[in-house]
Amino acid sequence: LDNQQVFVVRADSGINSEKDLAGKTVDVQTDSSAEAALKEAPELTATFKELLTTADYNTAFMDLEQGAVDAIAMDVIVAGYQIQQRNADFKILDDSLS
């Protein structure tokens, strides 16, 4: 099972790579694999405006839909499922955390 840690953004956000996350607000689920991967990438997280944690990805996707955050760091499999279920205009960045 190939379960990478990736970033999900709104398709119209203009964010196309990890570099574009500089100065942006990123959300991650507490105690997730994505949070662990971000803790191992301080050079990346230092570029973010803010790194927020949330209790669950449903909340994170609502925040992304409403523009409260610019990206979500999460498992690629969960990301694909959430995007499909929501039938929303999100995209997964090609860059992966791990």
Side-chain angles (χ1 to χ4, degrees):
L1 184 65
D2 182 18
N3 194 21
Q4 299 174 327
Q5 305 306 310
V6 297
F7 293 100
V8 176
V9 298
R10 293 171 59 113
D12 63 356
S13 67
I15 299 171
N16 297 303
S17 71
E18 279 185 6
K19 291 179 186 177
D20 296 333
L21 294 172
K24 305 293 186 196
T25 301
V26 178
D27 210 350
V28 66
Q29 183 174 305
T30 303
D31 297 326
S32 65
S33 297
E35 183 182 37
L38 286 170
K39 286 181 180 178
E40 293 178 12
E43 68 286 346
L44 174 63
T45 58
T47 68
F48 299 164
K49 175 182 179 183
E50 190 172 15
L51 177 61
L52 302 175
T53 56
T54 188
D56 59 74
Y57 284 121
N58 286 326
T59 302
F61 270 95
M62 286 189 289
D63 289 345
L64 185 61
E65 286 172 329
Q66 296 172 1
V69 300
D70 301 295
I72 305 169
M74 61 189 307
D75 299 344
V76 69
I77 293 171
V78 177
Y81 174 78
Q82 287 281 351
I83 290 168
Q84 181 183 31
Q85 291 297 107
R86 292 172 182 280
N87 195 25
D89 202 11
F90 298 128
K91 66 180 178 181
I92 299 170
L93 299 184
D94 290 336
D95 300 325
S96 63
L97 285 167
S98 63

